[in-house]
Amino acid sequence: MSLRLDHLAFRYEAMDMIFDAVFPAGGFTAVIGPSGGGKSTLLNLVAGFETPLAGRVLIDDADVTALPPDRRPVSMIFQDNNVFAHLSVRQNVALGISPALRLEPAQAQRVEAALADVGLDGLAHRKPGELSGGERQRVAVARALVRDRPVLLLDEPFAALGPALRRDMLDLLRAKQQARGLTVVMVTHQPEDAIHAASHTAYLEAGRIVALRPTADLFAATDVPGLAAYLGDWRNTVL
Amino acid sequence: MKKTLTALFALVLLAAPAAAKETLTIYTYDSFVAEWGPGPKVKEEFEKVCDCTVEWVAPGDGVALLNRLKLEGASTKADVVLGLDTNLTAEARATGLFGKHDLDVASAKTPIPWTDDHFMPFDYGYFAVVYDTQAMTTPPKSLDELVNGDAAQKIVLQDPRSSTPGLGFLLWMKKVYGDKAAEAWKKLQPRVLTVTPGWSEAYALFTKGEAPMVLSYTTSPAYHVIAENSERYKAAGFAEGHYLQVEVAGLIEASPRKDLARKFLAFMMGPGFQDQIPTTNWMFPAGETSGPLPPAFDALVKPDKTLLFTPEEVDQNRRAWIDEWLNATTQ
Amino acid sequence: MAERHNTVIAYQPSRAPALAALAFLGLALTAGFLPVLAMGIRQGLAGLDPYILRVLSFTLLQAGLSTALSLAIGLPLARALARRRVFPGRFLLLRLLNLPLALPSIVVIIGLVEVYGAGGWLGGLFALYGLQGILLAHVFFNVPLAARLVLADLERIPEENWKLAAQLGLGPWALWRIVEWPRVRGGMASAALLIFLLCASSFAVVLTLGGGPRATTLEVAIYQSLRADFDPQRAAMLALVQFALCAVLALLAQRWGGLVPDVPMLRASARRFDGRSGAARVLDAGLILLVLLLLLPPLLALAASGLQHIALTAPLLRAMLTSLLLGAASAGLAFLLVWPLAMLAVRGALWRRVAALAVLASWIVPPAALATGWFISLIAYAGPLWLSALLVIAMNAMMALPFVARVLMPALGRSAEVHDRLCLGLGIGGWNRLRVVEFPAVRRAAGLALVMALILSLGDLTAISLFGTQDFVTLPALIYRQMGSYRFDDAVGTALVLGLVVLALSALAERWGET
C-alpha cells in the first residue's frame, strides 16, 4: 500500500514544516537527517498523534487525515516504553488483537505464532523487566505483526542496541516486511541501518523532505543540499 | 537571604524584655493574654506599682495550665498561676506546689462566701443557656423545661471531656438531678444538635443560626450589647438556679519571689486588675472595682440560686460522672 | 526500564545523612513515646475496655468511609484534570486544591455551615450533624489532596504509552485497566494511607459535626486521657492501639503499593490522546464542575464574610510572620530528613522499607502522646521560647514527612534511573551531584513537596496549641484566640488571610518549578 503525504503542513515552535512525498508501496524507507529536523513529527503526523495545519495523509489513496490513530492502517514502534511493565510478554502482544485481552483460540494461535516468528517462544510468560532491551523490542515487533496493519512506522527503534543485535533486528524486520508486503518507514540516525535494510532512503532537514530515492542512489548523490554536511566524512570511511 | 531569616527569627522569638528588674512569671490561660484580653492592661498597671516585669506564659486553657504544672512539678518557673477554676483547685492543691496566700478571704466578692486559703478568686460567672430572640420567643424557664421541651428547638452543648463550660453543664445537671441525671441526659438527647470540643465551636454554630440555644454564660449578652450594640441574644434564667464558675489564682510555694507573688495577688483584688475584667474577660469581678459595672451588666439574668459542688466533690466524682454521661448519651 | 536490575556496579549515595535522619527520628520518637509508655506500664496498662473498643470501631468506620469517598471522588477528578490539560481556570483550580489542607477545621466547619447549615445557601441538602456531616467535611478536606497526589502520578505516565494506547484503540475502560491503574495503584495505596491517618486523627470535625459523644475517635480519647483525666494508663494503651493500627496499615499500603517499578521518563509531561469524544468532554466537565460545587461554595462563603473583616493589625502581621517562619523551617527540616532517606530508598529494597516506615513516625505515635512525651523528656529545659519554637518545628516537620516523601521519592527514583550510570561514568558524586544533577532534575517535585509541607505546617494547630505561648502565635492560633473571645468575624478575616497566603505560596512554588 502506498503512503502519500500531500502538502502536509505543521508548525512546531518557530519551525514551519511541509511534507510532500510518496513512500513506495511495499517498500522499506529509512528516514535520516539532523536532529530537530522533524523526523519524529513526520511519523507522528502519519500515525495520527499530531494534527496537521493543512494537507492530507493518503494511504492507498484513501484520505486518513481525519481518522483517530486506531482507525488508521498503521502500527508504530517507539525507541522506549513499547511494552507495559505489568503485563507478560504474551499479554503485551495480545493487546494488539484485543484491548480487553480476551482472545479466541484462533487469535491466541496468532499470538503464539508471532512470538515464535520474532524468536520469543519460551519467554511468553515473562514480564518485560526480565527481558533484555533487544527482546523488549521484539515484543513490539510481534505486536505489530499480530495487528496486521499494512503500514509500519518505527522511530529509532534499535538505537539502544549494539551493532550485531541491531543487524539481527533489521534482518528480522526486513524478512517480515517482505513476507507480508508491508510499507515500512523507519527513522534512524545510523546510515548503515539504511544501507543494510532499506530499499529507499529519505533525507529530511528543517521540516522538508529534501530527497527520497533508492538507498544506494541517495548515498551516492552529490546534488542533495545539506546531505554531504550531515554525513560528513562518514561516506569516505564506510563506502 | 539566610541572614535576613536569622534576623527575622530573632525579631519574632527574642522579643523578650532584657531588663535587670525582677521578673514575675505568671502562668495563665491563652485568651487572658490576647491583645484584647485583660493581660496587657493588667501587666501595665501592675508594673506601675511593683518595680518589676510581668511575664505571661500561656500554655492553653485552664486544664492545660494544670497539666503543665503537674508535668513540671517543683521545677516550674511559675511564680503565680492564674486561671484555674474551682473544678480544678482540689487537684491543684494535691500537687503540693501551691502556698497559702495569707490574704483576707473576706475581700473576695463571690456569690458564696470565700474560704480557700490557697487560692483567691479574681472573677466569676454563671453558666446559662443563651438563646436567639429572633428564633425563639418562649425560652425554657428551667433546666427541667429545657430537658423536657420541644425537640425541634435544638441546643449546642460542649464536651465535658475537653471544655470548661461542658464540664460546668455536666455538674449543673448533676446538681439538679442527682441520681436521676442519667435519665435527664437521655431525655435531653433529642434536643442536642451536637456536642462540640470547645466553647468557640459551639458559639460559632449558634451565631450562624444552626440552633436557637447554646450553653454559655449569663454575661454573653453583655458582649453583644457593648461590642455590637445588639439585644438579639439573651440568657434564659432557670428556676433551679445557675451553676457557678469561679476563676482563681494561687502562688507557688517554692518560688523565690513569693513576696512579689503575694503582692500581685493583693493587687489582683483591687481596681487596677478588677476594672479590666467585665469588658475584656466578660466575667463578673470578684474584687474591688473603681466604679459601678457597665449598664449592660445590670440587665443580665441574676440567678435566684447559686449552684456549686465543692472542689473535693468534683475531684472525686468527675470521672464517674463523665462516664455516666457517656453511657447515657451513647446508647 | 530494567537496566537498573542488571547493573552490578550501582551508584551509592552516602549513608551518613540518612543515618543521621534516622537517628533524629528515632530520638524524637523515643523521647516522645517512652515516657508515656513508661508511665503507663509503671501503673499497669489499662485493658481494652468496651469504651476503647467502641472508640476504635467508630474511628475505623468514619476514617474508612471518609477515605473511600475521598478516593472515589478524587480519583475521577484527577483523571478528568489529566485529560483536560487546557481549560479556563485550570491553574486556579489546581491551586485551590492546596487550600483545604491548610485551613483549620473550625474555619472549614464555619464555611460548611454557611452553605449547608440551617440558614445556608444550600441548607438542608446534607444533614450536617452525624456521620454524614463528618464525611462531608472530610471529603472537603481530602478530595483535593487525593486528586493532587493521583494527578501527579498520572502525569508521570510516559507519552509512548498514550500513543500506543491510541493506536491500539484502547477504550476508556481498557485504558484505565492497562495504562492508568497500574501506574496509580502504588500511589493510591499511599494516598489512601495518608488520608486514612488524617481522618482517623481528626478531632474538631468529628466532635463538632458528630452530633454527640457517640462520635469519638482515638485521638479524642487520647486527648481526654492525657489532658482532662491525666490518666497515663489509658493513654499508653490507646497509644499502643494507634501504633498497631498504623503499623498494620503502613505494611498493607506498602504491600499493595510496592509492586510496580517506576519507569523512567525524560519528557516533563506527556500528551494524551484519549478523551476527545464529546461524551468524554461532557463527563470530565461535569466531574470538574461537581467538585467545584463541593469546594467553591464554602470557600466563597468564607471569602465573602472574611473580606469585610480583614484588618491588617500588628498582631495579624506578627502571626503571619511567625507562621511563615515556622512553616518554612518545618518544611526545610522535613525536606532535609526525607531527602537522604529517599536517595537510598529509590536504590534498594531494604532502604525503601526503612524509609516508608520512618516517614510515618509522627503518625505512628499519636501527636498528643508525642508532645506530652517530649514535654516530660525536656522538662528540665522547659521555658525558653526558642525551645518551644524548635519543638513546634520538629513536630510539624515530622507530620509533613509522608507528604514530602510521597512527592519526592518518585522524582528521585526517576532521576536515579536516568542519571546514575552517567554520573558514575563522569565521577560526579556527593555534593556536586546534588547541586548539578539531582536538584535541577527534581526541582518541580521539590517545589511541590516543600510547598505541601509548608501548607501543612501553616494549618497546624496540634503542635502550636501544645507548645505555643503568648508571644508565639501563628495564624491558626490567632483564629482560635479570636473565636475564644466572641470575635468570630475577625477570625474568618484571619482565615481569609491564611487562605490567600496559601494561594500565593502555591503560585510561587509552581512558578519556581517551571523555570
Side-chain angles (χ1 to χ4, degrees), chain C residues 11 31 88 118 123 150 167 296 325 330 451 502:
Chain C
Y11 179 82
V150 174
Q167 191 156 75
L296 271 187
L325 287 174
S330 309
V451 100
V502 168

Side-chain angles (χ1 to χ4, degrees), chain A residues 116-190:
Chain A
D117 236 9
V118 299
L120 282 179
D121 39 344
L123 300 180
H125 59 281
R126 297 242 181 129
K127 292 278 169 70
E130 304 165 80
L131 302 182
S132 71
E135 286 165 338
R136 281 204 291 274
Q137 293 304 69
R138 279 173 199 264
V139 177
V141 174
R143 182 169 52 217
L145 292 179
V146 299
R147 288 195 81 217
D148 208 15
R149 307 277 162 125
V151 174
L152 178 60
L153 310 173
L154 303 104
D155 192 355
E156 299 187 47
F158 311 129
L161 308 181
L165 195 52
R166 214 164 71 218
R167 200 162 276 248
D168 286 350
M169 294 300 292
L170 286 171
D171 288 340
L172 172 73
L173 209 57
R174 178 105 181 125
K176 300 304 153 204
Q177 179 251 334
Q178 281 174 351
R180 302 197 178 202
L182 301 176
T183 304
V184 170
V185 180
M186 179 180 79
V187 165
T188 179
H189 268 294
Q190 312 287 339

Side-chain angles (χ1 to χ4, degrees), chain A residues 11 14 25 31 35 39 90 125 158 191 199 237 239:
Chain A
R11 175 181 254 278
V31 178
S35 290
K39 298 193 295 291
R90 181 181 283 122
H125 59 281
F158 311 129
S199 61
T237 50
L239 294 180

Side-chain angles (χ1 to χ4, degrees), chain B residues 46-131:
Chain B
F46 187 57
E47 285 177 352
K48 272 189 207 161
V49 298
C50 73
D51 190 33
C52 69
T53 307
V54 171
E55 193 184 310
W56 301 112
V57 174
D61 59 8
V63 181
L65 201 56
L66 182 56
N67 281 334
R68 169 89 170 241
L69 274 179
K70 279 188 190 166
L71 290 174
E72 288 181 349
S75 65
T76 184
K77 305 234 177 353
D79 301 310
V80 171
V81 176
L82 182 149
L84 304 175
D85 68 14
T86 45
N87 294 331
L88 295 170
T89 47
E91 232 180 310
R93 196 194 315 264
T95 62
L97 295 172
F98 288 89
K100 292 191 176 174
H101 53 64
D102 293 341
L103 297 178
D104 179 12
V105 289
S107 66
K109 301 169 132 189
T110 43
I112 45 159
W114 195 253
T115 55
D116 195 316
D117 57 357
H118 280 74
F119 299 97
M120 278 303 272
F122 64 89
D123 65 13
Y124 66 90
Y126 293 99
F127 295 112
V129 169
V130 172
Y131 67 99

Side-chain angles (χ1 to χ4, degrees), chain B residues 13 30 33 36 56 58 63-64 67-68 71 77 161 194-195 197 199-201 208 210 220 223 318-319 329, chain C residues 51 114 117-118 129 207-208 211 213 216 224 227-228 231 375 379 382 385 470 480-483 485-487:
Chain B
L13 299 180
D30 183 68
V33 294
W36 50 82
W56 301 112
V63 181
N67 281 334
R68 169 89 170 241
L71 290 174
K77 305 234 177 353
R161 291 172 293 179
T194 191
V195 182
W199 176 89
S200 307
E201 291 88 352
K208 290 287 167 203
E210 287 296 280
S220 294
Y223 172 83
R318 187 168 51 92
R319 180 71 178 269
T329 52
Chain C
Y51 175 69
E114 298 247 22
Y129 303 93
L207 277 182
T208 305
T216 294
Q224 179 198 358
R227 300 234 314 160
D231 177 357
F375 204 93
I379 201 89
L385 214 47
Q470 77 286 357
Y480 260 81
R481 200 177 254 192
Q482 286 168 328
M483 290 200 175
S485 28
Y486 295 97
R487 295 163 184 257

